[in-house]
Amino acid sequence: MVIQGKYREQVLYLVFGLTTTLINWVIYIILINFLGLTISNAIAWIVAIAFAFHVNKLYVFRSLYDSVKKTVKEILMFLSARIITGMIELFGFPLLIFIGVNQSVFGIDGAVAKAIVTVIGIILNYVFSKFIIFKKS
């Protein structure tokens, strides 16, 4: 994919993020008939994360590390960051709903809470990837 310009990195990050989401869903839908909810979801998540790592490393952030040691470090940091943002989404979602229900000022319902934690996750994943995982030396 050839995209140039000031926002190349951000555009590619969003395009590949949408592609990652699509891969996750397609694999989940295919496997759910054979393996059940939990296993299908786990496999879909693993494949999607592997795809996301590959495209972020090579195309979005253009990480040139080619040694096994440095690549393993990137993989572990990428996975750790995704787990951290996953936990933020997992626990932030009900917290926002709780705040919305108990504080009429916020009025946050499920869809809005999900959108907020998703946006936070996307932003944090980008920040972790750009400034920590695939940081240029």
Side-chain angles (χ1 to χ4, degrees):
M1 179 173 274
V2 179
I3 295 178
Q4 299 299 326
K6 183 177 180 180
Y7 299 105
R8 180 200 70 79
E9 188 175 273
Q10 292 84 358
V11 169
L12 286 175
Y13 184 78
L14 290 174
V15 167
F16 285 126
L18 290 171
T19 306
T20 299
T21 302
L22 181 63
I23 287 169
N24 187 329
W25 274 92
V26 168
I27 290 172
Y28 172 76
I29 290 167
I30 291 169
L31 293 179
I32 195 166
N33 294 316
F34 306 104
L35 302 174
L37 294 171
T38 304
I39 294 172
S40 298
N41 192 43
I43 292 171
W45 185 81
I46 290 167
V47 172
I49 293 298
F51 172 80
F53 173 79
H54 176 75
V55 295
N56 279 287
K57 176 179 177 51
L58 297 179
Y59 303 110
V60 178
F61 299 105
R62 297 180 176 169
S63 175
L64 301 177
Y65 291 143
D66 56 1
S67 75
V68 173
K69 182 178 179 182
K70 289 180 180 179
T71 301
V72 168
K73 181 180 177 186
E74 284 179 332
I75 291 168
L76 293 175
M77 289 192 314
F78 190 84
L79 183 58
S80 297
R82 295 300 167 117
I83 290 170
I84 289 168
T85 56
M87 290 293 114
I88 290 170
E89 289 188 43
L90 183 66
F91 295 110
F93 176 71
L95 179 64
L96 285 175
I97 291 173
F98 176 76
I99 290 170
V101 169
N102 291 304
Q103 303 292 326
S104 60
V105 173
F106 292 105
I108 299 172
D109 69 5
V112 174
K114 179 68 173 161
I116 290 169
V117 296
T118 298
V119 169
I120 290 169
I122 291 167
I123 292 168
L124 285 175
N125 281 329
Y126 178 80
V127 168
F128 288 150
S129 292
K130 180 169 180 69
F131 299 108
I132 298 171
I133 301 164
F134 303 114
K135 181 174 95 173
K136 297 201 175 20
S137 301

